[in-house]
Amino acid sequence: MNEMTFQLHTGGGSCLYEQIYEHVKKEIREGKLLAGEKLPSTRFLAEYLQVARSTVDYAYGQLLSEGYIESRPCKGYFVCPIEELLLLEESVSGQEGSGDTAEEGRAVSAGGTGFLTAGEDAIDFSPFDIDMSGFPFGVWKKITKNILTYANSDLFARGESQGDEELRRTIVRYLHSSRGVNCRPEQVIVGAGNDYLLLLLEKILGRHVRIAMENPTYKRSYRMFQSFAYRIATVDMDEAGMRADKLKEAKVSAAYVMPSHQFPTGTVMPIGRRMELLKWADGEPDRYLIEDDYDSEFRFRGKPIPALQASDRHGRVIYIGTFSKAIAPAIRISFMVLPDKLLEKYRRDCSFYSCTVSRIDQSILNEFIRDGYFERHLNKMRKIYQAKHELLLECLQPMRKDFLISGENAGLHLLLTSGRGVPEEELVRKAAQKGLRVYGMSENMVEDAPDSATVLLGFGGLSEQEIRKGTELLRAAWEQ
């Protein structure tokens, strides 16, 4: 094991984890760390350098994602073979007039069209992007290989319509331990994304249901409900979320809520308001609350708040969650927990629908969660996102005299509201002129919001360098 003797510099412009990352990368590129050589453990290196272990974790995570090192379960980190990389670099460096860099060739984050300035990529503050640098590619490939190697014919047979029972059992255990959800495997339905689950829910609840939604809300769900011919009533919000008194006036039979982290406002619904909603649902025999718990894993202040379903004693909450936000967008696996009364309707009217997730993908996810990889991945990503979250708040500090910052307790975006009443359209336009993409609150409004002066700033898909540069450009754009 290479003990990696070097010193960190606290007076320079580079972060400590960047110095560790650059040192190890340089040692590998120059052949001083050989392929297959074991690196010091994160604990050992953190003690030697007198830094937090998370600092070393960040550095190793970046090296891992770029393919310089690999992680072997129960053994540690090892240098990857990079002969092809060295040959490629020599070939590129020998080409005359080739001034392209890896950063210049990087694509704009998925989901945004981007606004380009003088030859640079736009910095996209998308609230939907996530950081893929921490994804455990090695672990995922290992699980996939093992499953395909030892798979029998049963894995390629048609599975259960609700999803494989083993995965549903694993989801039940995870939900109970992490979110306090009380359910049985037979109540869980697995599907490829929330769109499929909402389509299935329409078959269960029936057509022409009158449903309440917050305003603003998650617009994709709103459009889905519109396509069902649901009659949608918007209900006002306050600092605690959807107002239960207004819900009573709306005369609806279902309400769509995001109590753990409302999108886009970032509101975390307190227990008192949750009890009011449950009391409303108990008022009539066929009233239900649809709880969308899309990113409850990422909370940065205080203890995690149990799901609304955890307080449901009379089967009034339909709980929906996804693994796309916590793992990767391509992991199109979501789940829905039905109350017993609706489960009977599903079995009677909808059980002939086939599960939309392949059994191979279900098996991979099941092992990823069951063997503790998912929990370790979440812990790692919480640290990464919290560091970005704190950096963004720090960089926005000089703007507090002109902007109110909110929604900073959880999730992967913040809200900025102009204290001078500058319209969001002007804020978005001026940001675009600097090569930045920000998102207006009105994009999430069910009804027109001509007086909106709020924009959303997502940070999940941005690097620390992009956050620093982006906020500097925002200040320059909005101080004009």
Side-chain angles (χ1 to χ4, degrees):
M1 179 180 72
N2 189 301
E3 293 190 358
M4 212 174 294
T5 303
F6 69 102
Q7 291 183 336
L8 299 177
H9 304 285
T10 56
S14 299
C15 300
L16 296 179
Y17 91 89
E18 290 179 338
Q19 294 181 47
I20 299 171
Y21 158 77
E22 291 292 347
H23 175 82
V24 176
K25 183 171 74 171
K26 181 180 177 182
E27 293 284 286
I28 294 174
R29 286 176 176 270
E30 293 177 354
K32 295 176 182 178
L33 285 173
L34 304 178
E37 189 167 355
K38 185 176 182 181
L39 298 180
S41 69
T42 56
R43 186 185 300 277
F44 176 88
L45 190 57
E47 291 177 353
Y48 170 75
L49 296 174
Q50 293 296 292
V51 297
R53 190 176 177 183
S54 60
T55 302
V56 182
D57 283 334
Y58 293 160
Y60 276 20
Q62 187 63 30
L63 292 164
L64 189 68
S65 66
E66 293 183 13
Y68 288 101
I69 64 176
E70 63 180 355
S71 175
R72 300 177 187 173
C74 304
K75 293 183 179 180
Y77 293 94
F78 296 80
V79 179
C80 290
I82 60 165
E83 287 80 11
E84 294 84 358
L85 174 62
L86 295 176
L87 289 173
L88 178 62
E89 288 182 342
E90 290 175 2
S91 174
V92 171
S93 63
Q95 295 176 3
E96 293 183 1
S98 176
D100 293 342
T101 65
E103 183 62 25
E104 289 170 343
R106 182 178 58 81
V108 178
S109 298
T113 57
F115 296 90
L116 301 180
T117 60
E120 294 182 330
D121 287 341
I123 296 178
D124 189 353
F125 285 93
S126 170
F128 304 107
D129 288 350
I130 67 172
D131 190 337
M132 288 300 298
S133 66
F135 182 79
F137 292 100
V139 170
W140 198 266
K141 286 190 288 187
K142 173 193 168 186
I143 295 174
T144 304
K145 180 180 178 181
N146 289 342
I147 286 174
L148 292 177
T149 299
Y150 300 108
N152 54 38
S153 59
D154 291 343
L155 190 61
F156 296 91
R158 183 174 180 174
E160 299 177 66
S161 60
Q162 291 183 229
D164 286 354
E165 183 177 0
E166 189 173 353
L167 173 60
R168 288 186 283 121
R169 288 187 181 278
T170 299
I171 290 174
V172 166
R173 289 193 294 270
Y174 165 70
L175 290 178
H176 184 69
S177 62
S178 65
R179 308 293 299 123
V181 171
N182 299 302
C183 63
R184 307 182 308 280
E186 54 265 31
Q187 293 177 261
V188 177
I189 300 174
V190 174
N194 284 12
D195 291 356
Y196 168 76
L197 296 177
L198 292 179
L199 285 167
L200 200 59
L201 192 58
E202 185 214 9
K203 307 300 181 184
I204 299 170
L205 292 179
R207 294 181 60 82
H208 305 295
V209 169
R210 186 168 173 81
I211 186 171
M213 299 190 76
E214 298 153 318
N215 188 37
T217 189
Y218 181 46
K219 206 65 174 289
R220 187 176 183 86
S221 294
Y222 173 77
R223 294 191 177 114
M224 289 290 294
F225 291 139
Q226 269 191 321
S227 72
F228 301 159
Y230 277 6
R231 293 166 292 169
I232 303 173
T234 56
V235 175
D236 292 339
M237 295 177 58
D238 58 18
E239 66 280 356
M242 179 181 280
R243 291 180 54 179
D245 57 336
K246 296 293 183 180
L247 187 59
K248 295 175 183 177
E249 298 173 7
K251 297 180 180 179
V252 295
S253 58
Y256 175 85
V257 293
M258 295 165 277
S260 294
H261 182 235
Q262 203 275 346
F263 185 88
T265 65
T267 299
V268 178
M269 188 178 289
I271 188 65
R273 180 61 53 84
R274 294 172 183 236
M275 293 299 103
E276 291 177 21
L277 292 182
L278 287 171
K279 184 178 179 181
W280 167 83
D282 284 337
E284 296 288 342
D286 292 317
R287 283 181 181 173
Y288 293 99
L289 297 166
I290 304 170
E291 178 180 12
D292 189 345
D293 207 11
Y294 75 103
D295 73 345
S296 59
E297 292 89 358
F298 303 120
R299 179 169 171 79
F300 307 122
R301 295 184 183 178
K303 296 181 180 180
I305 298 175
L308 176 64
Q309 197 271 359
S311 302
D312 180 22
R313 297 292 178 267
H314 302 105
R316 298 297 182 177
V317 177
I318 302 163
Y319 181 87
I320 298 177
T322 181
F323 293 104
S324 297
K325 194 83 170 180
I327 301 179
I331 310 299
R332 302 296 299 161
I333 302 181
S334 299
F335 52 87
M336 177 167 63
V337 179
L338 290 176
D340 285 327
K341 187 174 180 179
L342 295 183
L343 181 61
E344 294 176 9
K345 287 187 177 181
Y346 166 80
R347 287 174 172 169
R348 184 183 67 240
D349 302 331
C350 306
S351 59
F352 63 90
Y353 286 100
S354 298
C355 182
T356 51
V357 182
S358 81
R359 298 193 67 196
I360 294 174
D361 288 341
Q362 292 185 61
S363 298
I364 295 169
L365 179 61
N366 176 65
E367 191 168 323
F368 188 70
I369 301 173
R370 183 196 64 200
D371 294 351
Y373 297 115
F374 181 49
E375 184 177 359
R376 289 194 286 274
H377 173 64
L378 277 181
N379 290 336
K380 178 180 180 180
M381 295 312 299
R382 285 191 190 102
K383 292 177 182 178
I384 291 174
Y385 288 139
Q386 184 163 14
K388 293 183 180 184
H389 172 264
E390 292 174 354
L391 174 62
L392 181 57
L393 286 174
E394 177 186 333
C395 292
L396 292 175
Q397 190 65 30
M399 300 173 65
R400 285 187 180 272
K401 63 181 184 298
D402 296 317
F403 288 87
L404 171 66
I405 301 173
S406 58
E408 71 273 23
N409 292 327
L412 303 183
H413 73 275
L414 303 176
L415 278 71
L416 266 69
T417 302
S418 172
R420 294 181 283 119
V422 178
E424 72 168 52
E425 183 180 353
E426 182 177 342
L427 296 175
V428 172
R429 177 177 54 80
K430 287 185 174 181
Q433 291 172 352
K434 293 291 185 179
L436 306 172
R437 179 163 184 165
V438 299
Y439 297 78
M441 174 65 83
S442 63
E443 295 180 25
N444 306 284
M445 301 293 287
V446 175
E447 301 168 354
D448 292 337
D451 300 327
S452 174
T454 301
V455 295
L456 280 65
L457 294 185
F459 56 86
L462 298 179
S463 67
E464 293 190 359
Q465 180 182 0
E466 288 173 321
I467 292 173
R468 294 182 187 277
K469 181 180 178 181
T471 49
E472 288 177 5
L473 291 172
L474 280 179
R475 290 202 299 271
W478 292 342
E479 288 175 357
Q480 292 178 352

